[in-house]
Amino acid sequence: MEKLKYFVILLSFLFFPQISSSQYALQQAFPNLPTFSFPIELVHSFDGTNRLFVAQQRGIIYTFNNSAAVGTRKTFINLSSKVSSSGSETGLLGLAFHPNYRNNRYFYVNYTFDSTGSGSGIWSRVSRFTTSATNPDSAVIGSELILITLAQPFTNHNGGKVIFGPDGYLYLSFGDGGSGGDPQHNGQNKSVLLGKILRINIDSASAGRNYSIPPTNPFFGNVLGYKEEIYAYGMRNTWKFSFDFPTNRLWAGDVGQNLYEEIDLIQNGKNYGWNNMEGFHCYGTCDTTGKGFIRPVFEYDHDTGQSITGGYLYRGTLLPALTGKYIYADYVQGTIWALTYDGINPTTNARVLDSSFNISSFGVDASNEIYVCSYSNGRIYRIANKNVSTLNLTAIIEGFYDTTSHVLNIRDTISVYLNQITSPFNVVDSAKTVIDSLTYSGACIFNTAPTGKYYIRLKHRNGLETWSRTGGDSIKKGNVVSYNFTTDSTLAFGNNEVLKGTKYCIYSGDVDQNGLVDLSDILLIYNDVLIFATGYKVTDLNGDRTVDLTDLIIDYNNSAKFVALIRP
């Protein structure tokens, strides 16, 4: 981690190109939550609950609802009795949830603990824990299943990341063992786990271990004494790494020694050069001819920053200009950058913004929106585009909602308008968004609407319009505002929604778009039925992709509820 030895924030050097000198800013993502104590990880749980989990370095993991208005958090598990209690690079360092967590309730941590028998008295451990079967916000501390325990020769360079890959295997990192310059040459020693990124199969056990070795690991079944868990080697201290699932590329930020910080694309069986290489350069005097060292994607020197914090390829929707760029930071500098790399065109690196605190980690939620963890003040931030207004909208399309599985069986587009709150309620701005099947949410970006109060108006295909609650809601330039139509009928003007199960839904029945749900809509659907029209149709009210009598019944049953479109 190599963080706290730096006590000052250095000034940014101007030769790094900028996306825009005033486009982005950090905003508190959850201003009503208490601060966290040295947050080192933010993750979500892959279970459709839209919760977030923040791990503190000294061992406590908290969970809370992913809402800008959330004001309470719960202690998910307290591991402070297990983890090391002192040292800037020791403690709870990594957290990951099993891809099938919804069913098996397993999650994994990487932490250090104090013991004897190693040069430093510090050991690293990777373990599995299980969440309570009756309380999803609480884990069972007695459920620990130890996977790996490793003696550390020094207290620094413990790595600590754990993450699941697209192959379902668990990837984890250990630094080179610490001190400086890798005095034990662990990075190049394939007979030890230090200085490596490892890959294990935690869904099966073999050879007396609580895991097995993937047969595609580079040293699987070797007779040379190499560690079979190794996926890649020659790493110094890979504090943070992440997968970009659309491309399945594994991105890593490897903390440098004296001169250079580097970003690597990690590949199976490759050697990333430490301690012969630091970035693109020899470390000390070395011969790199024929050594097979993989060069970084990018490096920066210590005039620019002192300690890299690896991040994520941005795949969210709130910041379209950053889509497909690798977002990372320098812990000491507090600067956030966006790296553009496709393996074909020249790599470019642009400054996104400068902060005034130490950035220990990035995280993403279920919608792939990115968050920033401040080690300095314990706050969680989001990156906001100051030039636009952003609406994080939650809504359910009635016909597509399955009350048993609690998912939308079709992801579909909704048109969203900002209307003035006084007559004649003119449209000021509009956007489209795709409503996600699991979270029922989508992001709307409004480029022209000034800060003010508006009615938020939704329309799905030819559906009846739904307006936000009486009096409208505030939209602020540069801010992310959330609005949820699903929890209360009063959140729609005139209670103009349909209750389906426990959720309030947008009813899509105004087929002829005349502002009425009436006999003419029923006749249009009926005529479609007569010609056996099928497919992805505006009249497919139940979402089964077939226009038939069931749609006619839905329209008939609802027409009495919504006789006319009620506008403010």
Side-chain angles (χ1 to χ4, degrees), residues 330-364:
D330 189 84
Y331 171 86
V332 178
Q333 185 86 354
T335 302
I336 297 175
W337 291 286
L339 186 79
T340 302
Y341 172 86
D342 61 11
I344 301 172
N345 298 299
T347 301
T348 60
N349 190 63
R351 182 185 290 112
V352 176
L353 58 87
D354 296 311
S355 75
S356 59
F357 47 74
N358 304 127
I359 296 174
S360 57
S361 184
F362 292 88
V364 294

Side-chain angles (χ1 to χ4, degrees), residues 243-535:
F243 274 99
D244 174 42
F245 287 100
T247 62
N248 292 337
R249 283 175 166 169
L250 178 54
W251 291 78
D254 199 15
V255 180
Q257 179 68 43
N258 297 324
L259 297 175
Y260 301 100
E261 307 296 307
E262 68 182 77
I263 297 171
D264 298 300
L265 277 178
I266 304 300
Q267 302 174 58
N268 191 354
K270 300 301 184 181
N271 180 357
Y272 289 82
W274 179 252
N275 65 349
N276 296 102
M277 302 288 295
E278 183 184 9
F280 287 98
H281 313 272
C282 283
Y283 179 71
T285 302
C286 68
D287 175 15
T288 63
T289 305
K291 301 294 184 181
F293 299 139
I294 301 299
R295 271 40 173 190
V297 170
F298 186 75
E299 69 170 26
Y300 63 89
D301 63 31
H302 280 197
D303 286 335
T304 301
Q306 304 291 304
S307 185
I308 191 171
T309 298
Y312 292 83
L313 257 288
Y314 181 69
R315 297 295 182 185
T317 56
L318 298 181
L319 305 167
L322 300 182
T323 298
K325 301 179 188 297
Y326 182 66
I327 309 302
Y328 72 101
D330 189 84
Y331 171 86
V332 178
Q333 185 86 354
T335 302
I336 297 175
W337 291 286
L339 186 79
T340 302
Y341 172 86
D342 61 11
I344 301 172
N345 298 299
T347 301
T348 60
N349 190 63
R351 182 185 290 112
V352 176
L353 58 87
D354 296 311
S355 75
S356 59
F357 47 74
N358 304 127
I359 296 174
S360 57
S361 184
F362 292 88
V364 294
D365 63 16
S367 300
N368 292 313
E369 296 303 336
I370 196 164
Y371 298 85
V372 180
C373 297
S374 168
Y375 196 82
S376 306
N377 63 20
R379 289 290 187 183
I380 308 301
Y381 294 85
R382 69 169 79 243
I383 301 172
N385 185 342
K386 296 188 291 184
N387 298 331
V388 302
S389 302
T390 305
L391 173 66
N392 192 14
L393 179 72
T394 302
I396 292 174
I397 305 163
E398 180 206 10
F400 298 167
Y401 181 54
D402 186 326
T403 57
T404 301
S405 63
H406 306 293
V407 300
L408 296 176
N409 55 38
I410 297 177
R411 298 172 68 248
D412 208 356
T413 300
I414 282 184
S415 298
V416 185
Y417 304 88
L418 296 183
N419 286 67
Q420 292 177 340
I421 60 172
T422 56
S423 181
F425 310 109
N426 292 328
V427 174
V428 178
D429 207 342
S430 64
K432 291 183 182 293
T433 185
V434 176
I435 299 297
D436 183 79
S437 300
L438 294 177
T439 65
Y440 326 125
S441 64
C444 309
I445 297 174
F446 300 103
N447 294 295
T448 60
T451 294
K453 211 165 190 181
Y454 301 94
Y455 279 111
I456 301 166
R457 178 166 60 98
L458 309 188
K459 195 161 188 177
H460 172 242
R461 305 192 187 181
N462 289 347
L464 185 69
E465 296 170 350
T466 299
W467 293 57
S468 60
R469 61 190 154 199
T470 303
D473 281 85
S474 295
I475 300 293
K476 187 175 181 181
K477 205 81 165 177
N479 278 21
V480 178
V481 175
S482 297
Y483 197 89
N484 189 340
F485 278 92
T486 70
T487 59
D488 191 326
S489 63
T490 63
L491 291 169
F493 189 91
N495 301 341
N496 196 17
E497 290 188 290
V498 174
L499 182 63
K500 187 168 182 179
T502 61
K503 299 291 187 180
Y504 290 91
C505 306
I506 301 168
Y507 169 61
S508 298
D510 182 18
V511 180
D512 61 5
Q513 302 186 72
N514 68 350
L516 303 173
V517 178
D518 55 17
L519 182 62
S520 63
D521 301 298
I522 296 175
L523 291 174
L524 284 171
I525 296 175
Y526 183 70
N527 289 334
D528 260 342
V529 173
L530 290 179
I531 62 173
F532 301 102
T534 59

